[in-house]
């Protein structure tokens, strides 16, 4: 087990270096000279040379990559180009609001999708099942933008059940008032794809021999589904949820933008709009690290839940 | 369920229906009613896109043919709810406000009109009168001064209602939707083709040769998939400063190939040990031909399904990018930029652009997804993947 974890950690190094290289190529070569973006429209040659020196872009590429690596390790990406706020502060303060929305969303969404997929699995290969799946396809085809715009308009603007947007200081106010509608929207958007996927996990298990055995023992269909099938189907479900976690952190950017939630996703959008490269670079690097660790954690949980799994 | 069983029997007894792989697949597909209806809808959209790209329809999407925010009438089926000029005072005030705003927001005209402000005020008062067909007393003078003729005779020439309504500038939402479909669908398909081309090429090389090539390509794959997809797209969008259809295609195509790569690589690993490949190798067929003339046709059904899946994903992604302003340029229209306009219009109660853009997209994406499911079922009868 330890050997496996060590090996996996070592395998992360080349991937991480690749991510660094990719970002370096993107932001230093494809994106043009950062000094011109930072200096703005009105600037003298001397100013630009000065900024180039400060950023280190006048030095050879390997030195620059060295600087970038040092920034990653020390978590010091300097200051944001647009607000001059230290990037590390930005990351720290934006993580909380993102998690306030995401954690309840993930927990509720997963539980709801599991429960509904078990219900649908009972109707497998019937007209009801097919209709639910077609409804899911339709639900997935409506743009997330339409969900957000309509929900915000109807429930917040017209009916006034929720605040249109905003964010408070205390966790409870946020959860109870500001995060409620974003979470509701997230549930509606995420339910259809999750339900489709979880249903297929359940159906994979229903074909197995142990289900036939359970049925032969005379167990009720409810018990078979909710105890036997669910326990086995939870393996791919856990893997899927773990792997989706880092992506969600950024993926909720539309919701954060519409509801003015000061989270990571909204920060990415702002940074892209303002060409605030240090912020984008920092977020991308750390989310990539988080993704790799989440994948490792998913594999370890896989092993913990199902001892038959061979870690190789 | 009946047709599902039926098609399963058909697959089990292939000798009753002759033909090769593709014709068998087509016969299976034909039995799937949902699949066929989806194909019809998708084909209709494609014909519309083609006509619109050739300029046969929706050529006037950028013309201000109606009054601003013209309500929808669905060719007379719907009675427009807000006849202007008889509304209450508040509404008039709001309209005047909007008009002032829209005039301010208009692209700067080449001629600076010294009377513009007066005119706006006059027009506001015009609206207050029950009959707004009053001739502008300054019209003649202004025209001789060389001011834009169009801005003066607005209310008379422009239609009070349009089939799908009008947007803030009075552009026909129906034509905008058609043109927006053109942009979104062309971007989705082109990006899907680019990603598939890239993914298939790299996947074929990695899967067939294995060894060092496989290691390197796998490393590239790992790097790309370590960054969440949306974040990668946004990072590339931040770097590429210019906006436009080509940029979006490049962003989506160059970042979206990883799924195809993994799939095709696995297929090529499976196929490289097969007898027909060994035989071709023994005959001295060059690798290039083995890769792309011998193996590729055998995995082409996998590729086809993947292109279709990618196109759906990219259409959705383009809509989000354009909505955020990182997608198509300002003088182009896509479903995403329409939704952006619609968001502001909805607050004023103008729902039609949202309905048109959202509805068109939902219809196409639903049909496309169901078509993909049907294609997958028809092409791969062994794996009866649940819908």
């Amino acid at each position: 087990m330890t050997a496996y974890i060590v090996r996996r950690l070592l395998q992360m190094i080349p991937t991480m270096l690749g991510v660094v290289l990719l970002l370096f190529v993107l932001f230093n070569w494809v994106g043009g000279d950062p000094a011109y973006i930072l200096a703005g429209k009105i600037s003298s040659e001397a100013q630009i040379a000065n900024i180039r020196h400060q950023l280190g872009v006048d030095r050879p590429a390997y030195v620059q990559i060295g600087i970038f690596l040092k920034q990653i390790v020390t978590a010091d990406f300097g200051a944001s180009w647009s607000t001059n706020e230290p990037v590390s502060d930005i990351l720290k303060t934006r993580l909380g609001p993102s998690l306030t929305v995401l954690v309840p969303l993930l927990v509720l969404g997963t539980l709801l999708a599991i429960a509904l997929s078990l219900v649908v699995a009972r109707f497998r290969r019937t007209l009801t099942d097919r209709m639910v799946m077609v409804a899911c396809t339709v639900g997935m085809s409506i743009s997330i933008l339409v969900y957000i715009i309509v929900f915000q308009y109807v429930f917040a603007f017209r009916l006034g059940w929720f605040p249109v947007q905003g964010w408070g200081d205390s966790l409870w106010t946020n959860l109870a008032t500001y995060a409620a509608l974003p979470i509701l929207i997230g549930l509606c958007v995420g339910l259809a794809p999750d339900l489709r996927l979880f249903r297929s996990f359940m159906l994979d298990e229903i074909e197995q021999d142990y289900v036939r055995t359970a049925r032969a023992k005379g167990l009720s269909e409810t018990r078979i589904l909710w105890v036997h099938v669910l326990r086995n189907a939870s393996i791919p479900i856990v893997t899927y949820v773990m792997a989706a976690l880092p992506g969600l952190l950024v993926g909720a950017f539309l919701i954060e933008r519409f509801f003015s939630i000061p989270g990571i996703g909204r920060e990415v959008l702002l940074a892209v709009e303002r060409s605030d490269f240090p912020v984008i670079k920092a977020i991308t690097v750390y989310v990539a690290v988080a993704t790799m660790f989440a994948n490792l954690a998913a594999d370890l949980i896989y092993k913990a839940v199902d001892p038959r799994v061979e870690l190789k | 369920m009946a047709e599902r069983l039926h098609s399963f029997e058909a697959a089990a007894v292939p000798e009753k229906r002759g033909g090769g792989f593709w014709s068998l697949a087509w016969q299976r597909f034909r039995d799937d009613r949902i699949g066929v209806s989806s194909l019809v809808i998708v084909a209709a959209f494609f014909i519309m896109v083609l006509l619109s790209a050739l300029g046969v329809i929706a050529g006037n999407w950028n013309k201000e043919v109606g009054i601003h925010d013209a309500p929808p009438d669905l060719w007379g089926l719907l009675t427009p709810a807000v006849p202007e000029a008889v509304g209450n005072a508040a509404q008039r005030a709001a309209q005047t406000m909007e008009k002032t705003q829209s005039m301010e927001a208009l692209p700067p005209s080449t001629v600076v009109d010294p009377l513009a402000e007066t005119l706006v005020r006059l027009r506001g008062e015009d609206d207050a009168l029950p009959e707004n067909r009053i001739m502008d007393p300054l019209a003649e003078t202004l025209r001789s001064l060389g001011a834009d003729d169009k801005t003066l005779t607005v209310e008379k020439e422009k239609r009070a209602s349009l089939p799908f309504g009008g947007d803030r500038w009075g552009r026909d939402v129906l034509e905008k939707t058609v043109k927006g479909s053109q942009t979104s669908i062309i971007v989705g398909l082109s990006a899907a083709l680019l990603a598939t081309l890239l993914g298939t090429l790299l996947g074929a090389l990695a899967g067939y040769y294995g060894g060092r090539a496989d290691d390197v390509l796998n490393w590239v794959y790992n790097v790309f998939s370590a960054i969440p997809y949306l974040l990668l797209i946004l990072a590339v969008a931040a770097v590429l400063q210019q906006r436009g259809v080509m940029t979006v295609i490049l962003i989506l195509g160059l970042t979206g190939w990883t799924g195809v790569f993994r799939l095709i690589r696995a297929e090529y690993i499976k196929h490289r040990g097969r007898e027909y490949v060994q035989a071709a190798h023994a005959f001295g067929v060059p690798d290039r031909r083995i890769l792309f003339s011998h193996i590729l046709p055998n995995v082409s059904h996998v590729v086809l399904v993947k292109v279709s899946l990618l196109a759906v994903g990219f259409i959705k992604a383009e809509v989000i990018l354009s909505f955020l302003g990182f997608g198509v340029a300002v003088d182009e229209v896509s479903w995403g930029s329409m939704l952006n306009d619609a968001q502001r219009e909805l607050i004023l109660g103008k729902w039609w652009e949202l309905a048109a853009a959202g509805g068109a997209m939902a219809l196409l994406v639903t049909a496309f997804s169901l078509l993909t499911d049907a294609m997958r079922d028809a092409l791969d009868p062994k794996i009866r993947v649940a819908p």
Side-chain angles (χ1 to χ4, degrees):
Chain A
M1 192 69 164
T2 321
Y4 172 77
I5 295 175
V6 170
R7 200 166 61 246
R8 281 289 297 267
L9 289 174
L10 287 177
Q11 280 168 358
M12 282 181 195
I13 295 172
T15 311
M16 204 52 231
L17 288 176
V19 171
V20 169
L21 199 65
L22 177 67
L23 290 178
F24 181 75
V25 168
L26 266 183
F27 286 99
N28 286 44
W29 288 342
V30 183
D33 193 332
Y36 285 92
I37 298 168
L38 191 50
K41 288 191 180 96
I42 310 151
S43 53
S44 65
E45 283 300 314
Q47 272 175 310
I48 287 189
N50 192 13
I51 294 169
R52 286 175 63 87
H53 185 71
Q54 272 178 20
L55 293 175
V57 288
D58 53 349
R59 280 184 270 176
Y62 64 89
V63 181
Q64 293 185 45
I65 293 187
I67 298 175
F68 188 21
L69 282 172
K70 192 178 153 221
Q71 287 178 331
I72 296 168
V73 175
T74 57
D76 177 13
F77 282 81
S80 151
W81 287 358
S82 51
T83 60
N84 229 18
E85 196 180 349
V87 175
S88 49
D89 283 2
I90 294 184
L91 295 187
K92 260 181 260 161
T93 51
R94 306 304 190 266
L95 194 60
S98 279
L99 292 179
T100 312
V101 177
L102 285 179
V103 172
L105 176 58
L106 200 67
V107 172
L108 290 176
T110 310
L111 292 180
L112 190 66
I114 288 176
L116 286 178
S117 65
L118 282 170
V119 173
V120 176
R122 173 164 260 186
F123 295 105
R124 63 194 173 271
R125 312 215 188 291
T126 65
L127 192 63
T128 319
D129 180 40
R130 190 120 202 234
M131 285 301 123
V132 171
M133 285 307 111
V134 170
C136 280
T137 308
V138 177
M140 284 162 69
S141 305
I142 299 170
S143 176
I144 178 174
L145 293 164
V146 175
Y147 281 102
I148 301 179
I149 295 173
V150 170
F151 274 53
Q152 197 179 29
Y153 176 71
V154 172
F155 293 115
F157 187 75
R158 291 305 289 264
L159 298 174
W161 293 355
F162 304 97
V164 174
Q165 46 179 226
W167 200 249
D169 287 329
S170 104
L171 179 66
W172 289 114
T173 338
N174 285 337
L175 271 182
T177 56
Y178 297 117
L181 186 57
I183 290 173
L184 183 68
I185 293 174
L187 285 179
C188 290
V189 174
L191 183 62
D194 284 358
L195 181 55
R196 265 178 75 113
L197 190 69
F198 290 3
R199 172 184 166 279
S200 72
F201 291 155
M202 302 293 175
L203 291 195
D204 283 347
E205 292 301 324
I206 285 177
E207 313 279 313
Q208 302 289 323
D209 286 343
Y210 72 84
V211 175
R212 203 179 312 141
T213 311
R215 220 169 262 140
K217 282 199 305 190
L219 293 185
S220 74
E221 190 70 12
T222 312
R223 199 175 153 75
I224 292 173
L225 279 174
W226 287 80
V227 177
H228 296 236
V229 169
L230 177 58
R231 187 175 292 173
N232 284 283
S234 63
I235 301 167
I237 291 176
V238 166
T239 318
Y240 163 77
V241 172
M242 285 300 295
L245 197 59
L248 265 179
L249 198 60
V250 186
F253 64 94
L254 284 174
I255 288 181
E256 292 185 355
R257 181 197 185 88
F258 272 92
F259 290 96
S260 295
I261 298 169
I264 298 275
R266 198 179 71 125
E267 204 54 43
V268 172
L269 283 185
L270 285 175
V272 173
E273 275 165 8
R274 300 163 171 169
S275 297
D276 198 343
F277 289 178
V279 177
I280 310 175
K281 274 203 289 200
I283 293 180
T284 312
V285 164
Y286 290 123
V287 171
V289 173
T291 309
M292 282 186 273
F293 275 97
N295 286 338
L296 174 58
D299 288 349
L300 294 179
I301 293 175
Y302 211 118
K303 169 77 181 166
V305 182
D306 186 355
R308 290 168 305 177
V309 174
E310 289 275 326
L311 295 175
K312 48 179 184 347
Chain B
M1 212 61 264
E3 77 257 17
R4 183 154 280 274
L5 273 176
H6 179 60
S7 67
F8 183 71
E9 280 164 18
V13 205
E15 61 271 14
K16 253 167 72 182
R17 309 159 147 215
F21 173 79
W22 290 100
S23 89
L24 279 175
W26 170 244
Q27 281 163 9
R28 279 191 295 269
F29 181 81
R30 257 188 346 207
D31 292 336
D32 188 341
R33 258 176 297 165
I34 293 184
V36 173
S37 353
S38 311
L39 181 65
V40 171
I41 296 176
V42 172
F45 264 99
F46 283 7
I47 292 169
M48 186 177 86
V49 166
L50 197 66
L51 290 178
S52 152
L54 294 173
V56 181
I57 50 172
N60 291 332
W61 72 270
N62 217 355
K63 299 255 169 65
E64 294 158 21
V65 292
I67 58 168
H68 64 88
D69 287 325
D73 57 11
L74 285 179
W75 296 279
L77 287 173
L78 217 71
T79 324
V82 197
E84 80 287 11
V86 270
N88 57 30
Q91 212 173 352
R92 272 202 304 278
Q95 278 182 356
T96 319
M97 277 260 298
E98 273 170 57
K99 197 170 292 170
T100 322
Q101 278 167 359
S102 66
M103 288 235 165
E104 279 164 5
L106 273 172
S109 101
T110 44
V111 188
V112 181
D113 186 351
L115 289 173
E117 242 185 77
T118 329
L119 250 176
V120 168
R121 212 180 51 236
L122 278 174
R123 308 200 74 76
E125 284 162 14
D126 257 359
D127 277 353
L129 295 167
E131 181 66 76
N132 66 0
R133 289 172 168 278
I134 284 176
M135 271 302 286
D136 193 328
L138 287 172
E140 208 57 48
T141 332
L142 259 174
R143 206 169 289 140
S144 65
L145 281 171
D148 192 357
D149 195 69
K150 241 170 49 189
T151 56
L152 295 171
T153 43
V154 192
E155 308 293 335
K156 269 157 279 167
E157 289 171 3
K158 294 185 172 178
R159 293 162 61 186
S161 66
L162 290 161
F164 276 32
D167 71 356
R168 209 148 59 98
W169 313 109
R171 293 183 296 194
D172 190 346
V173 166
L174 180 60
E175 297 215 342
K176 259 182 106 176
T177 311
V178 172
K179 206 68 191 171
S181 312
Q182 182 200 328
T183 312
S184 297
I185 292 172
I186 285 181
V187 167
L189 284 183
S190 316
L193 287 179
L194 178 62
T196 310
L197 210 67
L198 205 60
T200 307
L201 184 67
L202 299 179
L205 293 176
Y208 185 73
Y209 289 109
R212 190 63 59 81
D214 190 26
D215 289 344
V216 171
L217 289 170
N218 246 328
W219 174 70
V220 178
Y221 164 80
N222 280 332
V223 169
F224 271 82
S225 48
I227 306 171
Y229 185 53
L230 276 167
L231 190 55
L232 187 59
I233 291 181
L234 287 175
V236 178
V239 165
L240 298 175
Q241 292 294 326
Q242 69 267 48
R243 308 273 171 253
V245 169
M246 274 315 288
T247 318
V248 187
I249 294 174
L250 281 180
I251 294 178
L252 295 175
L254 293 180
T255 53
W257 55 271
T258 48
V260 188
F261 170 81
R262 202 167 63 166
L263 195 73
I264 296 299
R265 178 176 165 271
E267 287 291 321
Y268 269 74
I269 289 175
K270 208 165 72 188
H271 277 266
R272 75 176 173 205
R274 297 257 169 101
E275 281 93 348
Y276 75 93
V277 177
Q278 286 172 348
H281 203 68
F283 280 138
V285 180
D287 278 355
R288 184 166 32 87
R289 290 205 47 193
I290 294 181
L291 277 171
F292 300 110
S293 315
H294 291 224
I295 304 182
L296 192 58
N298 286 310
V299 302
S300 53
H301 60 286
V302 185
V303 178
L304 187 67
V305 173
K306 197 71 193 174
V307 171
S308 182
L309 276 174
L310 279 177
V312 170
F314 288 159
I315 288 172
K316 288 185 186 170
E318 185 277 333
V319 168
I320 292 177
L321 276 179
S322 294
F323 175 87
L324 294 169
F326 307 142
V328 297
V330 274
D331 57 342
E332 294 163 326
V333 64
S334 92
W335 287 332
S337 62
M338 285 180 76
L339 286 176
N340 195 343
D341 293 346
Q343 186 205 350
R344 262 172 273 140
E345 288 164 7
L346 186 66
I347 299 174
L348 302 169
K350 317 275 190 279
W351 49 270
W352 35 91
E353 190 162 10
L354 177 75
M361 181 186 164
L363 181 63
L364 174 82
V365 173
T366 305
F368 219 138
S369 312
L370 292 173
L371 175 66
T372 312
D373 286 347
M375 260 176 11
R376 192 180 50 198
D377 288 354
L379 288 169
D380 209 347
K382 279 167 291 181
I383 311 165
R384 301 293 308 184
V385 186

